[in-house]
Amino acid sequence: MSPDQPSLFDDPAKENAITTDLVKIEARVWVLHAQLNQANYAYYVLDNPALPDAEYDRLFHELKGIEAQHPKFLSIDSPTQRVGATPLSQFEQVAHEVPMLSLDNAFNELDMEDFDRRVRERLVSSHIIEYACEPKLDGIAVSLLYEDGLLVRGATRGDGSTGENITQNIRTVASIPLKLLGDNHPPILEVRGEVYMPKKSFNSLNAAAREINEKEFVNPRNAAAGSLRQLDSKVAASRRLEFCCYSLGRVEGHEMPAKHNEILDAFSKWGFKTNPESKVVQGVEGCLNYYQNLAGRRNDLSYEIDGIVFKVNEISLQQRLGFVSRAPRWAISHKFPAQEEMTILEGVDFQVGRTGAITPVARLKPVFVGGVTVANATLHNMDEIKRLDVRIGDTVVIHRAGDVIPKLARVIIEKRTESARVIEMLTRCPVCDSHIERIEGEAIARCSGGLVCGAQRKEAIKHFASRKAMDVDGLGDKIVEQLVDEDLINSFVDLYSLDLDAVANLDRMAQKSAQNLLQAIEVSKKTTLAKFLYSLGIREVGVTTAQNLQNHFLSIIPLVKADFETLISVQDVGPIVAQHILNFFSEPHNQEVIDGLLNAGVHWPKVEVKSEDQLPFANKTFVVTGTLNLMGRDEAKGYLQSLGAKVSGSVSAKTHALVAGEKAGSKLKKAQDLDIEILDEEAFISLLAEHGIEHEQ
Ligand code: IVH
């Protein structure tokens, strides 16, 4: 300051004014800290947002502004200080004063009973033990150190005695308090728990990686670990990580409660997230019930768990039990059956579908995963094989969660041997030897044999006989396969001239069942034009398209003769479907089949010619939403369209009625708000019946 400039301190009044301003600003800083911390806690820990996002942003911005203008008010525990540290060149080592232990595993009820017995024997107790039960989160164990309520260090578990200092990254995890909430904190407190990535965040992270052709993370645990091991905390901050605490490390100058569940309650009061599924139970029986219950809901949780952790609840008992090598005697992890297992890809078969699509199928050395033995898994197409870079002889990881179809998740490249063989696409169909073609831009390769191909014939006949098609009761897959293999049928037409004795001679058939089958085939001759069209198996012509074609053409002759322009004028028929229909009818073989079927006596009632306004729902718009139990949504759509209705995807004031199945969401709410008629499935079926449509289950 130059001497000729008047000093602020020359004028005591001015000095006082400035001091009061600063006091006010400091007070404001504290208020902002408290408000932002509380909002953070409500949002990330309680999952119950308190402030609107925009208000949070305003407060945050205000605090940032003050901190920029008055750096002395910028403190390390400020809510603005979660990111912003300079990238590290490496992590420092951290010694754990209280070792971070691991857990012994139990794999079945016997192991659990043994554990409980060992606990009681050591305690020389015949009493039932109280256990605290918690989901075993599949993430990364971390230790958080608080001094006088401030987060001073975050560390990984490492080998249990030495970990890495990952404080910068830990600070970016929104559910970790930088400053403890409430009061009565221990001067030194070490909280331990799991940093994990919720399934949703994991899926979007991988989707983003896929989009830019980057390597995906194998599972949420690896994603969490990878994020915490970033030297640049901005990367960690961009990952949606969460923290849930499950045990106490060091504590000084404070009496902690006597039970594990009460310690968790204290953590929760200080601003930590504890698992809402945690529960105290009595004895091993309570543990096993808890396990069963959570195992059943495992796939519904928003995060991955790989088992349940059971802990003796009474801390004094934990202390009496102590630990062996690296695991406590007072806790155990009861693992769920693995959802991923390794096995060997022994070979690849190629299956031929109804439309000739060739699907590679992995033949695996049988492996028990997710509760079942898996020996096959679809590989979808050659692009998928290329993406996985999988070879015959490779060690592969099979993933099966819940009822999901098992899939080959990835290859363990490190285990590849010299003898691993590249998987080549066939050039000829494995069933009929016709050549295989792959159209530019399509992922699927197809056998060009059409109905010459036994595999396609079998699938085509199964489709023809299926419920929504000609509905031949009792013509199951196994019978179709035998009929084709024994050369008893070559096309749909032959079904209608089957010989009773020949059918009775098939495996698992007899005179009576053969008679029943022939009777069912006879009954199927009476059908509708739409079902007939659907049963022909024209590519991309499903139930709804077949219904639309019936509505438009009313009989088969104009449809067979229709040109491209006419076809694309039909509701829901685009250029691709139109081309498939044209190709189908221009094939002489298909014309013969249609003639043959009609000559065999397949018939349907004449479709009434109705002008637009004779149709009951002409000019009326319907919306279908939710899950219908007795029919698919497409079927419901098809029925409505056959009555002249338009079917739209969204509810508006112009909607005539909403067909709402189970679990209907926002569309139902909107229809209620707009006072639009709502039909549940039962009411919808009655409405169809009133207009002469009997829906058969
Ligand atoms: S207690 C002395 N509780 O499991 C007890 N661990 O194999 C130490 N884990 O490294 C751990 N959820 O990463 C405990 N509710 C839970 C847990 C849990 C996940 C992990 C933790 C630990 C590993 C032990």
Side-chain angles (χ1 to χ4, degrees):
M1 199 179 301
S2 64
D4 49 3
Q5 247 183 333
S7 157
L8 283 178
F9 300 101
D10 292 346
D11 178 350
K14 218 180 219 172
E15 185 193 337
N16 275 344
I18 287 177
T19 320
T20 0
D21 272 357
L22 284 178
V23 168
K24 274 194 198 148
I25 291 171
E26 184 171 17
R28 181 66 188 151
V29 166
W30 290 119
V31 169
L32 289 170
H33 276 201
Q35 284 181 330
L36 289 166
N37 283 338
Q38 196 58 43
N40 238 4
Y41 174 69
Y43 191 97
Y44 290 106
V45 178
L46 304 179
D47 282 331
N48 185 15
L51 286 186
D53 289 357
E55 177 63 5
Y56 182 91
D57 292 345
R58 270 193 293 276
L59 298 177
F60 192 86
H61 192 75
E62 182 186 345
L63 180 60
K64 275 210 110 164
I66 300 177
E67 288 170 348
Q69 248 190 333
H70 306 279
K72 68 170 183 175
F73 294 139
L74 173 59
S75 60
I76 183 76
D77 63 317
S78 164
T80 63
Q81 295 307 293
R82 287 194 179 264
V83 223
T86 39
L88 301 171
S89 55
Q90 66 174 75
F91 295 117
E92 278 170 22
Q93 303 246 301
V94 166
H96 298 297
E97 277 190 32
V98 179
M100 289 184 80
L101 303 175
S102 67
L103 293 168
D104 270 345
N105 292 322
F107 295 100
N108 51 43
E109 297 195 359
L110 270 184
D111 292 349
M112 281 301 296
E113 280 158 9
D114 284 348
F115 162 73
D116 177 59
R117 185 167 353 92
R118 283 196 305 271
V119 166
R120 281 181 294 118
E121 278 172 5
R122 270 218 160 238
L123 295 172
V124 204
S125 163
S126 55
H127 288 123
I128 290 183
I129 305 287
E130 185 171 274
Y131 290 104
C133 323
E134 295 159 10
K136 185 166 185 291
L137 297 165
D138 205 5
I140 296 296
V142 299
S143 137
L144 309 176
L145 186 64
Y146 288 82
E147 284 175 10
D148 294 324
L150 288 191
L151 173 68
V152 293
R153 195 196 70 193
T156 60
R157 172 171 177 269
D159 63 5
S161 30
T162 318
E164 284 178 322
N165 186 329
I166 50 160
T167 313
Q168 292 198 2
N169 291 336
I170 282 296
R171 296 176 68 85
T172 69
V173 179
S175 44
I176 292 179
L178 298 180
K179 182 179 178 181
L180 299 182
L181 295 184
D183 47 23
N184 200 19
H185 319 130
I188 302 275
L189 173 71
E190 184 195 355
V191 174
R192 292 175 178 179
E194 200 86 346
V195 169
Y196 60 98
M197 188 178 281
K199 291 177 190 166
K200 213 169 136 196
S201 315
F202 171 73
N203 291 335
S204 45
L205 180 66
N206 268 355
R210 254 195 314 277
E211 220 151 76
I212 53 170
N213 266 334
E214 264 189 13
K215 207 166 150 35
E216 295 174 44
F217 284 105
V218 166
N219 55 39
R221 177 162 43 86
N222 283 38
S227 307
L228 285 185
R229 245 182 258 121
Q230 293 290 332
L231 291 167
D232 182 353
S233 60
K234 286 204 179 59
V235 181
S238 72
R239 309 275 168 82
R240 303 247 150 254
L241 297 174
E242 294 196 7
F243 174 78
C244 181
C245 60
Y246 53 63
S247 76
L248 173 69
R250 250 173 89 197
V251 61
E252 280 172 27
H254 190 89
E255 191 72 34
M256 289 298 280
K259 290 190 175 192
H260 176 76
N261 70 310
E262 296 165 354
I263 295 179
L264 293 186
D265 290 344
F267 287 164
S268 166
K269 282 202 198 84
W270 292 333
F272 292 96
K273 188 169 191 147
T274 52
N275 199 311
E277 300 287 350
S278 307
K279 203 177 154 189
V280 173
V281 301
Q282 304 302 323
V284 68
E285 210 172 304
C287 294
L288 294 174
N289 287 338
Y290 181 94
Y291 176 90
Q292 286 306 338
N293 175 290
L294 215 66
R297 295 189 290 119
R298 179 183 185 185
N299 291 310
D300 301 331
L301 298 177
S302 60
Y303 44 83
E304 292 279 0
I305 63 175
D306 58 354
I308 306 291
V309 183
F310 298 104
K311 300 169 182 170
V312 171
N313 199 27
E314 196 89 45
I315 304 295
S316 61
L317 297 186
Q318 290 186 2
Q319 280 158 352
R320 274 173 57 199
L321 287 160
F323 52 90
V324 247
S325 64
R326 311 220 52 81
R329 287 201 190 89
W330 45 265
I332 196 151
S333 123
H334 188 181
K335 301 286 273 237
F336 289 140
Q339 291 186 326
E340 286 198 336
E341 281 294 356
M342 280 187 329
T343 188
I344 304 287
L345 176 66
E346 293 185 327
V348 171
D349 285 348
F350 289 87
Q351 278 179 354
V352 188
R354 173 166 68 82
T355 59
I358 309 276
T359 309
V361 179
R363 299 290 175 223
L364 305 163
K365 182 160 182 245
V367 61
F368 190 73
V369 54
V372 295
T373 300
V374 176
N376 308 307
T378 177
L379 288 165
H380 303 288
N381 52 52
M382 292 310 283
D383 287 351
E384 174 75 353
I385 290 178
K386 202 167 147 208
R387 188 185 72 81
L388 290 165
D389 181 23
V390 56
R391 302 190 188 168
I392 295 169
D394 269 347
T395 301
V396 294
V397 175
I398 303 300
H399 181 101
R400 182 186 182 271
D403 296 332
V404 179
I405 299 167
K407 71 168 192 184
L408 197 161
R410 58 191 182 278
V411 175
I412 303 185
I413 293 284
E414 296 75 22
K415 290 194 176 250
R416 177 169 288 166
T417 62
E418 294 267 305
S419 57
R421 276 188 296 127
V422 171
I423 301 162
E424 308 262 18
M425 185 59 186
L426 303 177
T427 52
R428 308 200 76 87
C429 172
V431 176
C432 72
D433 204 38
S434 300
H435 71 272
I436 288 175
E437 45 192 23
R438 181 168 169 184
I439 297 169
E440 272 291 308
E442 269 194 26
I444 311 276
R446 288 175 201 278
C447 157
S448 60
L451 292 181
V452 169
C453 174
Q456 291 189 53
R457 217 156 53 220
K458 283 179 187 169
E459 295 309 310
I461 294 168
K462 288 177 197 169
H463 172 80
F464 182 82
S466 66
R467 195 177 56 78
K468 290 180 192 166
M470 297 300 280
D471 194 12
V472 185
D473 203 17
L475 187 55
D477 291 359
K478 286 275 170 302
I479 301 177
V480 172
E481 278 161 28
Q482 289 187 66
L483 289 171
V484 173
D485 289 341
E486 306 272 317
D487 271 338
L488 293 174
I489 42 178
N490 271 310
S491 84
F492 308 147
V493 185
D494 301 336
L495 266 182
Y496 293 97
S497 54
L498 276 176
D499 175 60
L500 178 69
D501 290 334
V503 176
N505 273 335
L506 297 177
D507 260 5
R508 282 186 282 175
M509 288 297 270
Q511 203 66 22
K512 182 73 191 141
S513 45
Q515 265 170 9
N516 288 345
L517 179 58
L518 292 196
Q519 178 60 26
I521 294 175
E522 188 60 30
V523 169
S524 76
K525 286 180 181 172
K526 179 174 180 296
T527 182
T528 65
L529 174 57
K531 283 187 158 213
F532 178 74
L533 293 175
Y534 172 68
S535 69
L536 294 174
I538 307 168
R539 275 180 66 191
E540 310 271 344
V541 175
V543 173
T544 311
T545 311
Q547 186 70 49
N548 290 336
L549 291 169
Q550 163 174 313
N551 297 349
H552 189 96
F553 292 102
L554 306 170
S555 74
I556 189 139
I557 295 163
L559 167 61
V560 172
K561 294 192 170 150
D563 60 11
F564 186 80
E565 297 307 318
T566 317
L567 285 169
I568 55 171
S569 72
V570 177
Q571 182 155 18
D572 281 349
V573 173
I576 293 179
V577 183
Q579 196 55 52
H580 286 318
I581 298 173
L582 275 183
N583 293 350
F584 185 89
F585 289 122
S586 62
E587 171 70 52
H589 170 81
N590 290 333
Q591 292 168 10
E592 273 167 37
V593 168
I594 294 170
D595 286 343
L597 289 171
L598 300 181
N599 288 335
V602 172
H603 65 284
W604 50 85
K606 194 164 176 305
V607 184
E608 292 278 319
V609 191
K610 282 192 182 142
S611 68
E612 276 273 296
D613 38 81
Q614 276 176 307
L615 288 167
F617 297 144
N619 302 321
K620 295 205 163 100
T621 306
F622 282 69
V623 176
V624 184
T625 189
T627 312
L628 299 171
N629 292 318
L630 304 177
M631 67 180 86
R633 276 214 292 269
D634 277 346
E635 247 177 299
K637 237 173 110 174
Y639 288 142
L640 285 165
Q641 285 168 344
S642 73
L643 296 170
K646 284 205 181 64
V647 182
S648 156
S650 58
V651 174
S652 74
K654 294 207 185 91
T655 308
H656 173 70
L658 174 78
V659 178
E662 279 172 18
K663 296 197 188 130
S666 58
K667 290 182 195 169
L668 176 59
K669 167 123 196 2
K670 187 155 185 203
Q672 285 164 339
D673 292 346
L674 293 172
D675 216 8
I676 283 164
E677 185 181 359
I678 293 161
L679 301 164
D680 63 12
E681 189 166 10
E682 203 182 317
F684 178 57
I685 289 178
S686 318
L687 178 77
L688 293 177
E690 276 170 37
H691 294 96
I693 296 179
E694 294 297 338
H695 172 73
E696 294 160 32
Q697 271 175 260

